[in-house]
PDB file of all heavy atoms in Angstrom:
ATOM      1  N   THR H  72      18.147   7.403 -26.932  1.00 91.00           N
ATOM      2  CA  THR H  72      18.482   7.551 -25.502  1.00 91.00           C
ATOM      3  C   THR H  72      17.301   7.125 -24.630  1.00 91.00           C
ATOM      4  O   THR H  72      17.473   6.394 -23.652  1.00 91.00           O
ATOM      5  CB  THR H  72      18.851   8.992 -25.206  1.00 91.00           C
ATOM      6  OG1 THR H  72      20.031   9.365 -25.953  1.00 91.00           O
ATOM      7  CG2 THR H  72      19.170   9.169 -23.728  1.00 91.00           C
ATOM      8  N   ILE H  73      16.115   7.600 -24.999  1.00 91.00           N
ATOM      9  CA  ILE H  73      14.891   7.241 -24.271  1.00 91.00           C
ATOM     10  C   ILE H  73      14.685   5.714 -24.307  1.00 91.00           C
ATOM     11  O   ILE H  73      14.354   5.107 -23.254  1.00 91.00           O
ATOM     12  CB  ILE H  73      13.667   7.981 -24.841  1.00 91.00           C
ATOM     13  CG1 ILE H  73      13.811   9.475 -24.651  1.00 91.00           C
ATOM     14  CG2 ILE H  73      12.391   7.492 -24.170  1.00 91.00           C
ATOM     15  CD1 ILE H  73      12.766  10.276 -25.380  1.00 91.00           C
ATOM     16  N   ILE H  74      14.869   5.139 -25.435  1.00 94.00           N
ATOM     17  CA  ILE H  74      14.639   3.693 -25.599  1.00 94.00           C
ATOM     18  C   ILE H  74      15.589   2.895 -24.678  1.00 94.00           C
ATOM     19  O   ILE H  74      15.186   1.899 -24.015  1.00 94.00           O
ATOM     20  CB  ILE H  74      14.809   3.258 -27.053  1.00 94.00           C
ATOM     21  CG1 ILE H  74      13.752   3.915 -27.933  1.00 94.00           C
ATOM     22  CG2 ILE H  74      14.710   1.712 -27.180  1.00 94.00           C
ATOM     23  CD1 ILE H  74      12.333   3.666 -27.544  1.00 94.00           C
ATOM     24  N   LYS H  75      16.869   3.326 -24.636  1.00 93.00           N
ATOM     25  CA  LYS H  75      17.829   2.650 -23.767  1.00 93.00           C
ATOM     26  C   LYS H  75      17.442   2.765 -22.322  1.00 93.00           C
ATOM     27  O   LYS H  75      17.581   1.795 -21.549  1.00 93.00           O
ATOM     28  CB  LYS H  75      19.203   3.247 -24.024  1.00 93.00           C
ATOM     29  CG  LYS H  75      19.838   2.870 -25.355  1.00 93.00           C
ATOM     30  CD  LYS H  75      21.241   3.449 -25.493  1.00 93.00           C
ATOM     31  CE  LYS H  75      21.888   3.060 -26.816  1.00 93.00           C
ATOM     32  NZ  LYS H  75      23.243   3.650 -26.969  1.00 93.00           N
ATOM     33  N   ILE H  76      16.947   3.917 -21.899  1.00 91.00           N
ATOM     34  CA  ILE H  76      16.563   4.135 -20.515  1.00 91.00           C
ATOM     35  C   ILE H  76      15.370   3.199 -20.165  1.00 91.00           C
ATOM     36  O   ILE H  76      15.385   2.529 -19.128  1.00 91.00           O
ATOM     37  CB  ILE H  76      16.177   5.580 -20.253  1.00 91.00           C
ATOM     38  CG1 ILE H  76      17.382   6.525 -20.382  1.00 91.00           C
ATOM     39  CG2 ILE H  76      15.537   5.768 -18.859  1.00 91.00           C
ATOM     40  CD1 ILE H  76      17.064   7.956 -20.342  1.00 91.00           C
ATOM     41  N   LEU H  77      14.406   3.161 -21.063  1.00 93.00           N
ATOM     42  CA  LEU H  77      13.224   2.334 -20.842  1.00 93.00           C
ATOM     43  C   LEU H  77      13.579   0.848 -20.818  1.00 93.00           C
ATOM     44  O   LEU H  77      13.040   0.076 -19.997  1.00 93.00           O
ATOM     45  CB  LEU H  77      12.151   2.586 -21.902  1.00 93.00           C
ATOM     46  CG  LEU H  77      11.493   3.975 -21.850  1.00 93.00           C
ATOM     47  CD1 LEU H  77      10.567   4.157 -23.030  1.00 93.00           C
ATOM     48  CD2 LEU H  77      10.691   4.089 -20.558  1.00 93.00           C
ATOM     49  N   GLN H  78      14.485   0.407 -21.717  1.00 94.00           N
ATOM     50  CA  GLN H  78      14.866  -0.984 -21.757  1.00 94.00           C
ATOM     51  C   GLN H  78      15.566  -1.451 -20.494  1.00 94.00           C
ATOM     52  O   GLN H  78      15.545  -2.647 -20.186  1.00 94.00           O
ATOM     53  CB  GLN H  78      15.772  -1.234 -22.993  1.00 94.00           C
ATOM     54  CG  GLN H  78      15.039  -1.139 -24.313  1.00 94.00           C
ATOM     55  CD  GLN H  78      15.922  -1.260 -25.539  1.00 94.00           C
ATOM     56  OE1 GLN H  78      17.128  -0.898 -25.452  1.00 94.00           O
ATOM     57  NE2 GLN H  78      15.416  -1.748 -26.653  1.00 94.00           N
ATOM     58  N   SER H  79      16.171  -0.513 -19.786  1.00 93.00           N
ATOM     59  CA  SER H  79      16.865  -0.878 -18.537  1.00 93.00           C
ATOM     60  C   SER H  79      15.998  -0.591 -17.307  1.00 93.00           C
ATOM     61  O   SER H  79      16.445  -0.786 -16.183  1.00 93.00           O
ATOM     62  CB  SER H  79      18.169  -0.044 -18.423  1.00 93.00           C
ATOM     63  OG  SER H  79      17.896   1.329 -18.321  1.00 93.00           O
ATOM     64  N   THR H  80      14.737  -0.177 -17.515  1.00 92.00           N
ATOM     65  CA  THR H  80      13.830   0.102 -16.382  1.00 92.00           C
ATOM     66  C   THR H  80      13.162  -1.195 -15.904  1.00 92.00           C
ATOM     67  O   THR H  80      12.582  -1.906 -16.735  1.00 92.00           O
ATOM     68  CB  THR H  80      12.738   1.095 -16.805  1.00 92.00           C
ATOM     69  OG1 THR H  80      13.337   2.312 -17.261  1.00 92.00           O
ATOM     70  CG2 THR H  80      11.810   1.398 -15.679  1.00 92.00           C
ATOM     71  N   PRO H  81      13.252  -1.541 -14.587  1.00 94.00           N
ATOM     72  CA  PRO H  81      12.615  -2.730 -14.081  1.00 94.00           C
ATOM     73  C   PRO H  81      11.106  -2.786 -14.377  1.00 94.00           C
ATOM     74  O   PRO H  81      10.411  -1.756 -14.202  1.00 94.00           O
ATOM     75  CB  PRO H  81      12.897  -2.630 -12.581  1.00 94.00           C
ATOM     76  CG  PRO H  81      14.129  -1.805 -12.470  1.00 94.00           C
ATOM     77  CD  PRO H  81      14.001  -0.803 -13.574  1.00 94.00           C
ATOM     78  N   GLY H  82      10.670  -3.924 -14.852  1.00 96.00           N
ATOM     79  CA  GLY H  82       9.240  -4.096 -15.092  1.00 96.00           C
ATOM     80  C   GLY H  82       8.807  -3.659 -16.484  1.00 96.00           C
ATOM     81  O   GLY H  82       7.636  -3.825 -16.875  1.00 96.00           O
ATOM     82  N   ILE H  83       9.725  -3.122 -17.299  1.00 97.00           N
ATOM     83  CA  ILE H  83       9.423  -2.697 -18.640  1.00 97.00           C
ATOM     84  C   ILE H  83      10.057  -3.654 -19.671  1.00 97.00           C
ATOM     85  O   ILE H  83      11.204  -4.007 -19.506  1.00 97.00           O
ATOM     86  CB  ILE H  83       9.953  -1.255 -18.930  1.00 97.00           C
ATOM     87  CG1 ILE H  83       9.253  -0.246 -18.016  1.00 97.00           C
ATOM     88  CG2 ILE H  83       9.763  -0.888 -20.391  1.00 97.00           C
ATOM     89  CD1 ILE H  83       7.765  -0.045 -18.259  1.00 97.00           C
TER      90      ILE H  83
END
Side-chain angles (χ1 to χ4, degrees):
T72 298
I73 295 172
I74 297 303
K75 286 182 180 179
I76 294 173
L77 291 174
Q78 288 175 334
S79 63
T80 301
I83 297 293

